[in-house]
Amino acid sequence: IFDRFLDNRLHSAVQWQTVISRDPGGNEQRSRFWVRWKDYRDENKKAVAGILAKTLVKFSAPEDMRQIGFLMVVNDDRSNDQFIWTPSSNRVRRVRLSGVGIMGTDYTFDDIGWKSIEDADYQRLPDETVDGVATYVLEVTMKPFVDSEYTTMRTWIEREHYVPVRTIYRDANGVELREMVAEVDTIQNFEGAWVATRSTMYNLKEKTSTSVWVEALDPDVALADQAFSTFQLSLRH
């Protein structure tokens, strides 16, 4: 089941998103960014030159976040490479951002990092219904070599298209850290890959939340390696 979930993804894409972050009092801040990413695995799902995937993020709003960019290279046999560029510093810095919210949101690099079926052990629990939709329920235990703030997850995967509609993330002590909830009625087909275009991540400890609205998505775009260079990260788009 989890392998089918991992297979339900595009080989590459560019998408534009609006992000709404809320503090414990319910006050909102909106930001916008675009993301380009690419799957580097071959037809046998093996890493090419030791790389599984690359993701580049650039903010366009609000003004104080404009042009800030992140680059993440997900490696097969070592920890991921992460870089940030800001206009104020005008230089690319290598960073370590595991467990850190992306620009004040409740999404972390652990949430957007590449996952493979070998990263965890899986236990199927009794099926449940979420928002009137039948789902598979899986308990996921990350293996010790995986560099993540999450140790276990429980995820509810919509049975027709294998889209996760709810996930609870826990730390090594079993404490629930975050909960992701996707809006079932926003699941759309993008050239064979099914995506929930509206979802919210809740930080259960800080009592904050972040909603992501996918405004547009270009699937299976031809992206050269240069599209994920640190030079591209520093360009003022």
Side-chain angles (χ1 to χ4, degrees):
I1 294 170
F2 207 78
D3 205 14
R4 289 287 299 272
F5 153 64
L6 292 174
D7 282 342
N8 178 41
R9 63 177 67 222
L10 298 161
H11 296 291
S12 64
V14 179
Q15 64 185 44
W16 292 261
Q17 301 177 341
T18 290
V19 177
I20 304 173
S21 300
R22 304 174 188 87
D23 66 18
N27 301 303
E28 295 184 353
Q29 174 178 304
R30 292 189 176 228
S31 56
R32 298 185 73 247
F33 61 87
W34 57 261
V35 183
R36 69 167 68 122
W37 58 269
K38 182 178 180 180
D39 175 3
Y40 274 75
R41 299 180 305 167
D42 61 20
E43 62 275 7
N44 298 315
K45 299 184 179 180
K46 300 300 182 182
V48 174
I51 296 173
L52 291 168
K54 293 183 180 181
T55 301
L56 190 144
V57 179
K58 290 285 282 188
F59 280 81
S60 57
E63 190 61 34
D64 61 347
M65 296 168 60
R66 183 172 173 80
Q67 305 297 345
I68 292 175
F70 297 95
L71 172 64
M72 183 182 212
V73 179
V74 184
N75 299 303
D76 181 35
D77 55 357
R78 60 187 179 88
S79 60
N80 299 332
D81 296 314
Q82 299 170 347
F83 305 89
I84 184 173
W85 181 86
T86 61
S88 58
S89 67
N90 198 29
R91 64 188 182 92
V92 175
R93 294 185 293 116
R94 182 184 291 270
V95 291
R96 184 74 176 149
L97 296 173
S98 178
V100 177
I102 301 173
M103 295 307 296
T105 73
D106 295 290
Y107 284 87
T108 72
F109 276 94
D110 294 320
D111 301 316
I112 67 173
W114 180 261
K115 298 176 179 65
S116 66
I117 196 70
E118 295 85 4
D119 285 349
D121 296 313
Y122 308 87
Q123 177 186 2
R124 183 176 176 182
L125 304 179
D127 295 351
E128 295 182 11
T129 300
V130 175
D131 291 340
V133 174
T135 66
Y136 299 112
V137 185
L138 297 181
E139 184 72 15
V140 183
T141 303
M142 306 305 292
K143 293 184 177 178
F145 64 81
V146 176
D147 183 17
S148 173
E149 67 170 330
Y150 308 131
T151 301
T152 62
M153 302 181 296
R154 182 166 297 183
T155 186
W156 288 255
I157 297 177
E158 181 252 6
R159 294 180 61 171
E160 183 177 1
H161 306 114
Y162 293 87
V163 176
V165 294
R166 183 187 181 204
T167 302
I168 293 176
Y169 303 86
R170 312 184 197 94
D171 65 13
N173 297 317
V175 176
E176 295 182 354
L177 302 177
R178 290 179 173 84
E179 179 180 11
M180 186 284 298
V181 177
E183 297 183 23
V184 173
D185 58 358
T186 70
I187 295 175
Q188 297 182 33
N189 182 9
F190 294 93
E191 296 191 7
W194 295 85
V195 177
T197 57
R198 292 200 176 194
S199 61
T200 299
M201 181 72 80
Y202 297 91
N203 187 318
L204 303 177
K205 182 179 179 181
E206 303 295 335
K207 307 300 183 185
T208 58
S209 67
T210 300
S211 297
V212 174
W213 298 354
V214 178
E215 297 176 351
L217 191 155
D218 289 343
D220 290 332
V221 180
L223 295 171
D225 289 346
Q226 291 86 344
F228 301 94
S229 66
T230 54
F231 173 71
Q232 283 288 323
L233 184 65
S234 66
L235 291 181
R236 296 175 184 266
H237 296 277

